[in-house]
Amino acid sequence: MEIGLSRKELVNILKDESEDVLKSLIDQSYSVKLANVGESVYLRGLVEISNICRKNCLYCGIRSENRIQRYLLTEDEIIQQGEYALKQGYGSVVLQGGERCDSEFIDMIERVIIRLKGLSESVQDSVYNRPLGITLSLGEQSKETYQRWFEAGAHRYLLRIETSNPTLYSKIHPNNPLHSHTTRLKALNFLRECGYQVGSGVMIGLPYQTIEDLADDLIFLKDWGIDMCGMGPYIPHHKSPLYGLTIPEDNIRFTISLKMVALLRLLMPDINIAATTAMQTLHPYGRELAIKAGANVMMPNLTPSRAAKEYLLYEKKPTHIEDNKNDIFKNPDIKFGYHLWGDSPRFLSKNSK
Ligand code: 5AD
Ligand code: SF4
């Protein structure tokens, strides 16, 4: 069951400010979610392994030009967080970090993936005795690197397109070959060719971004055929060049983000969609509302506290302690898929044909 929505309809819904339109969109998308991916919310423990990045994106707090304390977790620290994730019943981990393409880094990630995969055998309880799912979010790499990490045991990769509009992309990134929309698209294609479940997404409410751009983003994600999506509001960082530029108010960026989640669920009923941290940053119940609007994945932050305060992509980003303040895990309305990978149904059905 796929719901066809024209570009014009997408624009109209995104522009409409009435509560009734929002409510009926969310009701519709929640029932499409139930019918296609069920009610479970799958968990991925997010480990932000390093804030060392060769890029200098104009919106990001850890851009290479910023003077901040740089860190790289040790292999043992990452493995410890993997063990913790297993014990918590999170079926998967996401290793996220700034972009590095040197061989020392590539080798280390390969070793860590192999160790994480072997972890379940060393954890005694039979419930935990299944391998962790491994998602990577480590930026643009060569096809060979993606292939090596895939063969080591990673099976999902997140690489946001940030915006599908190349002109807007060039306004929010430095103008040099390291920050190229075309290269990013190529990297997404490499990921699919290597066999990953591919996740992408965009930032919502960027300076210079129009509602038409956002409608085009949804169409892009659908036409490209992503398996998973992580998207959320843009949140300014005072140490970034885009800071101070005009953007919609927080509550408007939040509502548009909720609508983007709901519309994507209608357009792509069987993909995995994350309730992102950025949603929660703008609203104390941001993740719960995203889940009601069609999201079915959540990524609790497992970055050790010594590092979490240095991984500030944007301001007020919650660390793992704050992350659990409203104790979403005790919310009786949300059913978590503990100990499960919760792979993208779209990917599974595509690959069983
Ligand atoms: N606001 C919101 N999201 C941001 N990201 C980076 N900087 C910001 C910001 N200021 C997102 C980008 C990137 C992901 C890791 O974090 O979309 O792909
Ligand atoms: Fe690096 Fe990602 Fe930040 Fe860009 S958004 S500077 S690639 S960490």
Side-chain angles (χ1 to χ4, degrees):
M1 177 178 56
E2 249 174 54
I3 302 197
L5 283 160
S6 67
R7 180 175 191 262
K8 180 114 197 38
E9 285 167 315
L10 293 171
V11 168
N12 286 344
I13 295 172
L14 289 169
K15 280 191 177 162
D16 196 308
E17 286 175 12
S18 80
E19 279 291 319
D20 289 352
V21 166
L22 177 64
K23 189 171 177 316
S24 90
L25 170 65
I26 285 177
D27 288 348
Q28 200 188 349
S29 120
Y30 193 69
S31 56
V32 168
K33 165 180 148 169
L34 288 187
N36 289 276
V37 295
E39 69 170 327
S40 288
V41 174
Y42 299 101
L43 295 158
R44 289 85 174 87
L46 175 66
V47 189
E48 292 151 336
I49 62 163
S50 168
N51 65 358
I52 302 168
C53 187
R54 64 183 192 138
K55 286 212 168 137
N56 208 13
C57 306
L58 302 183
Y59 43 84
C60 178
I62 66 170
R63 58 201 300 270
S64 58
E65 217 171 274
N66 279 1
R67 292 246 195 108
I68 52 169
Q69 189 70 41
R70 301 282 168 177
Y71 73 86
L72 169 66
L73 296 186
T74 64
E75 292 179 35
D76 286 346
E77 277 175 314
I78 303 172
I79 301 302
Q80 259 170 30
Q81 298 316 106
E83 277 170 356
Y84 179 79
L86 264 182
K87 290 201 178 120
Q88 292 297 114
Y90 304 167
S92 307
V93 284
V94 179
L95 305 185
Q96 188 178 81
E99 192 172 290
R100 270 182 69 179
C101 303
D102 51 288
S103 57
E104 208 179 312
F105 181 74
I106 293 168
D107 293 349
M108 172 195 165
I109 298 299
E110 187 178 43
R111 284 194 302 273
V112 165
I113 296 169
I114 292 168
R115 279 182 70 187
L116 284 171
K117 276 288 168 203
L119 215 55
S120 45
E121 287 150 33
S122 62
V123 182
Q124 288 310 306
D125 191 303
S126 65
V127 178
Y128 308 134
N129 209 1
R130 62 187 81 194
L132 269 175
I134 300 179
T135 306
L136 302 178
S137 175
L138 300 169
E140 289 163 30
Q141 303 287 340
S142 68
K143 188 172 177 190
E144 186 204 357
T145 300
Y146 285 149
Q147 194 72 55
R148 266 180 67 189
W149 291 344
F150 184 78
E151 272 151 29
H155 73 297
R156 310 183 192 112
Y157 204 105
L158 306 172
L159 183 69
R160 289 187 178 180
I161 190 72
E162 314 296 1
T163 168
S164 61
N165 178 343
T167 310
L168 176 56
Y169 194 92
S170 69
K171 289 184 183 156
I172 61 168
H173 292 97
N175 184 11
N176 62 38
L178 194 58
H179 301 81
S180 142
H181 196 253
T182 314
T183 309
R184 199 142 187 103
L185 272 171
K186 266 194 205 144
L188 275 174
N189 287 323
F190 288 159
L191 287 164
R192 179 144 65 194
E193 286 160 20
C194 290
Y196 285 94
Q197 286 174 53
V198 183
S200 194
V202 296
M203 281 180 288
I204 298 158
L206 287 160
Y208 316 115
Q209 191 178 44
T210 64
I211 292 291
E212 284 74 12
D213 287 328
L214 291 171
D216 289 337
D217 288 342
L218 291 169
I219 294 166
F220 167 84
L221 295 170
K222 179 170 166 68
D223 287 350
W224 194 85
I226 55 163
D227 304 302
M228 324 180 282
C229 182
M231 59 185 170
Y234 159 68
I235 302 170
H237 189 289
H238 70 283
K239 274 203 212 158
S240 70
L242 295 189
Y243 189 77
L245 293 179
T246 309
I247 51 168
E249 296 284 320
D250 283 6
N251 63 337
I252 296 180
R253 295 200 320 292
F254 180 78
T255 308
I256 297 180
S257 301
L258 266 189
K259 285 186 183 171
M260 288 287 283
V261 166
L263 289 169
L264 187 65
R265 175 59 71 201
L266 298 184
L267 292 171
M268 303 190 79
D270 57 352
I271 62 167
N272 278 349
I273 303 179
T276 57
T277 317
M279 300 283 293
Q280 194 204 350
T281 308
L282 287 195
H283 190 297
Y285 291 96
R287 288 180 307 192
E288 286 86 338
L289 291 168
I291 289 166
K292 287 285 166 228
N296 67 329
V297 165
M298 200 177 89
M299 300 173 17
N301 196 313
L302 297 188
T303 308
S305 46
R306 82 157 174 99
K309 60 182 187 308
E310 305 297 344
Y311 199 83
L312 289 184
L313 302 173
Y314 47 83
E315 268 154 41
K316 303 190 203 89
K317 184 172 159 286
T319 59
H320 57 157
I321 302 155
E322 290 142 359
D323 205 5
N324 297 325
K325 240 188 217 158
N326 73 13
D327 218 345
I328 191 167
F329 291 107
K330 293 201 183 118
N331 186 330
D333 293 338
I334 301 180
K335 186 173 160 270
F336 290 104
Y338 286 106
H339 304 290
L340 297 169
W341 279 13
D343 277 330
S344 159
R346 179 184 191 277
F347 179 87
L348 296 177
S349 66
K350 204 171 58 183
N351 286 277
S352 66
K353 279 179 193 147

